[in-house]
Every structure is written in structure tokens, then in C-alpha cells.
């Protein structure tokens, strides 16, 4: 299947990957034949790209139905999780966290990021979607970093709860479209403290999970918040979640800005290595996640355009590309593949 910008999707295209609402419901299921009504509604919801089936790219698989189902359950559980935290109901919280832990366990089992990272997001209820996506990313990154299963569970739960303190911030500030005042921004920067305070009231939550929530906005150069901690003062799991939080945040639409393109978000993380982000964690990030999503159309430095069909581990900017048409005339040509690992004189110039 191929990844297509919404404006390039046509009637009768077949949806290749299910789209979830912010409440965890399936908005459109993979296999649905798209029409103008569906396409216009998706555009209004803020969906800018989606996967569609393409027989020329039939070997490009991006839908993992089991993970989609687990993600759906986890999103649905988030409201109960937050309520249980506020009520300090440890028993119910442990029950509510079961869906999160089941998803983490499945990620540990499959370890294949290409089936989960690039998902479709909508505007509404951003915090739930963002929290679950950060949980997924952090779990995959933790696997790559070599954490054991106990630590991976703490990392995943901490990532899912990292923004719990925002429930103490007025929605008028969280959803403000205009520039925040200095006072409003100071309040926003307190959400890690609020989150830590909430979790400390729940004896079932480990200290490491609390540290992740409290420190996920700290930076290794000491320029983060809320405490301005520097590298050795920040727990490693918080450094890991920090990277995933930033990457997913800038990859999503917000009320005050548009999302970054995948390569822009990726470069933001790499450029922050050693300053904003821990170098070792950025190295794991680079070896785990690729810059260009499977199925997306890219233009190479020789002018050829094609679709990413395979990632090369450890070389996030050098995927294998299948060329299907003449990039100048847009005429179909016999397909051929260009593996950028083998063709070192070529690079990806842009996403088309």
C-alpha cells in the first residue's frame, strides 16, 4: 500500500490502514472504499494523509490488526485511568492499566516499529492519542535500548501517563490558539509537577514512573523544566520518553501550529543530540525509527520518484525505493528498485 496526502486521494481508493478516533473507536476500517464524502470528512477532522491499497505495492504491509485493537482498547481506557489516579483508587487503577500493559507486552513480543509508528491522528482529544502514541514509541525504543521486561513496562506506563498533570491545567490555556501569556506558559510548565503530585498519592505507582512524569520535559543541557535538571540528574527512562514525546508532539497538528513533516521531526531529534537530548538515547532512536514512512513517495537526488518499500536498519535516511513511473511525464514504467544502501551516490531529496 502507499501513503498518500489527503488531497491526492481519489474516489474508489481502498483504505489500507484503519483510522481511529481520539476515543479509540474505529472511524474507518481498512478495506473501505473511499468516496468524496469520506474524504471531505477526514479532511475536516485534520487527517492530512492516509494509507491506500495499491497492487503495485502489495508487499508493503503497515497494518497490524492486533496492535490497532490493543491501541484502541488503551485509548478507551485513558479516561478511566485518569479518573482512578485522581480518586487515588489503587485497585481500580491497576485494573485500568491492564490495557496499557497488554499493549506494551505485545510490542515487546513483535518488536516491529514499521507496523505502528506512522499513524493517523485527529485534532480532538489530542492528549489521549498523544499519550498512547508516546507509549508505543517509548516501548519500541526501550526494546532497542535493551531494557528488561519489568523496566519496559515502567517505561510504557510512564509514557502513557506523562501528561497526566495537564488535567490540572485549565482547558482555556491548553486549547488557546493565540500566543500564551508569560503567566499562562508558567502554568503549562507546572504540569510535570502536578502529574508527579497526583501519582505520589497512588502507592501502586513506582518511583521510576513518577520520575518519568516529573522529568519528561527536562533537557540534558539543563534548559528544560520544571527544575532545570542536567544530564546526570535525569533518570535514563525520562530521557528516553522525552525524545518520544517531542517527536510525536511535533508530528501532530496542534491548535497553534501545523505538524512537521516526518523528515523535519526526525532532524529535530538528531540536531538536539547532546544538547536537548541524551546522545545515547538519540543513537538508539536512530537505530529504531526511520525517517521516511513505508509507502510514502520520495524524490531522489537524480530526479527519480518512487515509494519506500523497505527500511534499512541503522540507516534511517537510506531506505529501499520502488520506482513506478517517469517523474517528469508521470507515465507508468516497468517498476525497478533502488536500494540507497547499495546506491551510495543517491540520497532522498524530499517527500513528494
Amino acid at each position: 500500500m502507499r501513503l498518500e496526502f489527503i488531497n491526492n486521494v481519489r474516489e474508489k481508493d481502498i483504505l489500507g490502514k484503519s483510522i481511529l478516533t481520539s476515543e479509540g473507536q474505529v472511524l474507518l476500517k481498512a478495506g473501505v472504499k473511499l468516496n468524496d464524502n469520506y474524504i471531505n470528512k477526514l479532511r475536516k477532522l485534520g487527517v492530512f494523509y492516509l494509507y491506500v491499497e495499491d497492487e503495485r505495492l502489495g508487499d508493503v504491509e503497515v497494518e497490524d490488526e492486533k496492535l490497532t485493537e490493543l491501541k484502541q482498547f488503551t485509548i478507551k481506557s485513558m479516561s478511566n485511568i485518569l479518573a482512578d489516579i485522581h480518586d487515588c483508587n489503587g485497585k481500580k487503577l491497576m485494573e485500568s492499566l491492564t490495557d496499557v500493559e497488554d499493549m506494551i507486552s505485545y510490542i515487546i513480543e513483535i518488536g516491529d516499529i514499521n507496523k505502528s509508528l506512522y499513524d493517523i491522528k485527529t485534532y480532538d482529544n489530542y492528549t489521549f492519542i498523544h499519550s498512547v502514541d508516546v507509549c508505543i514509541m517509548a516501548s519500541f525504543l526501550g526494546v532497542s535500548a535493551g531494557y528488561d521486561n519489568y523496566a519496559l513496562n515502567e517505561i510504557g506506563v510512564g509514557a502513557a501517563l506523562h501528561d497526566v498533570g495537564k488535567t490540572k491545567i485549565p482547558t482555556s490555556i491548553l486549547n488557546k490558539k493565540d500566543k500564551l501569556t508569560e503567566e499562562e506558559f508558567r502554568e503549562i510548565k507546572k504540569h510535570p509537577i502536578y502529574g508527579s503530585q497526583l501519582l505520589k498519592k497512588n502507592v501502586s505507582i513506582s518511583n521510576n514512573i513518577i520520575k518519568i512524569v516529573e522529568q519528561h520535559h527536562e533537557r540534558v543541557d539543563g534548559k528544560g523544566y520544571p527544575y532545570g535538571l542536567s544530564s546526570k540528574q535525569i533518570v535514563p527512562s525520562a530521557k528516553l520518553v522525552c525524545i518520544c514525546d517531542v517527536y510525536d508532539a511535533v508530528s501532530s497538528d496542534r491548535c497553534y501550529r501545523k505538524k512537521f513533516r516526518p523528515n523535519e521531526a526526525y532532524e529535530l531529534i538528531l540536531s538536539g543530540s547532546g544538547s536537548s537530548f541524551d546522545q545515547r538515547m538519540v543513537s538508539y532512536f536512530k537505530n529504531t525509527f526511520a525517517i521516511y514512512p513505508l509507502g510514502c513517495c520520495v524524490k531522489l537526488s537524480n530526479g527519480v520518484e518512487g515509494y519506500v518499500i523497505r527500511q534499512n536498519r541503522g540507516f534511517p535516511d537510506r531506505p529501499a525505493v520502488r520506482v513506478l513511473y517517469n517523474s517528469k511525464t508521470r507515465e507508468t514504467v516497468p517498476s525497478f528498485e533502488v536500494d540507497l544502501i547499495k546506491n551510495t551516490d543517491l540520497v532522498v531529496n524530499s517527500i513528494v
Side-chain angles (χ1 to χ4, degrees):
M1 61 188 72
R2 72 178 190 273
L3 184 64
E4 198 66 83
F5 285 103
I6 191 73
N7 290 339
N8 295 332
V9 175
R10 298 291 178 262
E11 274 203 308
K12 298 184 180 180
D13 278 341
I14 305 297
L15 185 66
K17 185 175 183 179
S18 301
I19 300 175
L20 301 182
T21 69
S22 56
E23 287 78 29
Q25 303 292 336
V26 175
L27 181 63
L28 280 180
K29 187 173 178 59
V32 168
K33 184 179 291 186
L34 297 170
N35 55 40
D36 283 341
N37 185 44
Y38 284 148
I39 295 169
N40 289 331
K41 285 186 176 179
L42 290 174
R43 189 182 288 113
K44 289 179 180 177
L45 282 171
V47 175
F48 287 94
Y49 54 85
L50 44 76
Y51 280 101
V52 295
E53 292 185 4
D54 190 322
E55 61 182 14
R56 302 168 302 173
L57 299 165
D59 55 333
V60 179
E61 295 291 337
V62 296
E63 176 77 309
D64 183 333
E65 292 185 0
K66 179 64 175 178
L67 186 54
T68 298
E69 179 183 355
L70 290 170
K71 180 175 178 178
Q72 183 180 1
F73 291 152
T74 302
I75 293 170
K76 288 179 179 178
S77 297
M78 288 303 295
S79 58
N80 289 334
I81 290 170
L82 297 183
D84 295 339
I85 288 172
H86 279 271
D87 293 341
C88 298
N89 192 325
K91 184 177 179 180
K92 285 191 65 178
L93 177 59
M94 289 299 98
E95 293 174 356
S96 299
L97 283 171
T98 299
D99 289 328
V100 179
E101 293 170 342
D102 287 346
M103 187 175 70
I104 295 167
S105 295
Y106 181 72
I107 289 171
I108 294 171
E109 177 186 340
I110 62 171
D112 186 357
I113 188 60
N114 291 322
K115 294 182 178 179
S116 65
L117 177 59
Y118 300 100
D119 209 346
I120 306 305
K121 301 177 178 66
T122 57
Y123 280 141
D124 55 341
N125 210 347
Y126 166 83
T127 298
F128 283 6
I129 294 286
H130 171 65
S131 295
V132 175
D133 282 337
V134 173
C135 174
I136 291 172
M137 279 194 71
S139 298
F140 276 113
L141 186 53
V143 170
S144 295
Y147 284 94
D148 62 32
N149 287 7
Y150 180 83
L152 287 169
N153 190 70
E154 288 194 323
I155 287 170
V157 172
L161 300 180
H162 76 282
D163 273 343
V164 64
K166 286 187 175 179
T167 58
K168 305 287 286 185
I169 306 289
T171 55
S172 59
I173 295 178
L174 291 176
N175 299 327
K176 187 176 179 180
K177 295 184 179 181
D178 299 325
K179 184 178 179 180
L180 295 174
T181 65
E182 289 186 12
E183 183 179 354
E184 289 169 335
F185 188 51
R186 281 196 297 270
E187 182 65 13
I188 284 282
K189 290 167 72 173
K190 292 178 182 177
H191 80 268
I193 298 175
Y194 293 151
S196 172
Q197 291 171 344
L198 283 169
L199 294 182
K200 285 177 180 176
K201 296 177 182 178
N202 290 269
V203 295
S204 54
I205 299 296
S206 73
N207 185 60
N208 192 47
I209 291 174
I210 293 172
K211 288 295 184 184
I212 290 172
V213 171
E214 190 173 50
Q215 298 180 0
H216 72 277
H217 276 293
E218 301 290 356
R219 300 293 183 259
V220 296
D221 59 5
K223 296 181 179 179
Y225 63 85
Y227 302 120
L229 303 179
S230 57
S231 184
K232 292 183 179 180
Q233 298 171 301
I234 307 168
V235 298
S237 49
K239 295 175 183 177
L240 184 154
V241 172
C242 166
I243 290 174
C244 301
D245 176 37
V246 172
Y247 182 87
D248 188 78
V250 300
S251 299
S252 308
D253 281 300
R254 302 299 300 273
C255 57
Y256 51 85
R257 59 146 175 81
K258 293 297 183 182
K259 69 178 72 177
F260 283 35
R261 292 166 75 90
N263 55 313
E264 295 170 339
Y266 202 99
E267 288 299 325
L268 177 66
I269 301 301
L270 298 190
S271 66
S273 179
S275 54
S276 294
F277 312 117
D278 180 80
Q279 285 183 318
R280 188 165 61 97
M281 292 302 174
V282 172
S283 177
Y284 291 134
F285 175 87
K286 188 175 179 180
N287 286 326
T288 306
F289 307 120
I291 297 177
Y292 306 103
L294 286 175
C296 80
C297 189
V298 295
K299 186 172 185 177
L300 303 183
S301 53
N302 63 352
V304 167
E305 295 176 13
Y307 292 89
V308 174
I309 60 168
R310 188 172 61 256
Q311 309 290 359
N312 286 308
R313 183 172 178 82
F315 298 90
D317 58 342
R318 305 197 69 78
V321 177
R322 181 173 297 157
V323 179
L324 301 175
Y325 48 80
N326 184 300
S327 58
K328 292 183 178 179
T329 64
R330 312 302 289 182
E331 294 177 355
T332 302
V333 299
S335 67
F336 63 93
E337 295 182 9
V338 179
D339 190 336
L340 296 185
I341 284 290
K342 299 176 181 177
N343 295 267
T344 56
D345 57 325
L346 296 177
V347 297
V348 174
N349 270 357
S350 62
I351 296 177
V352 179

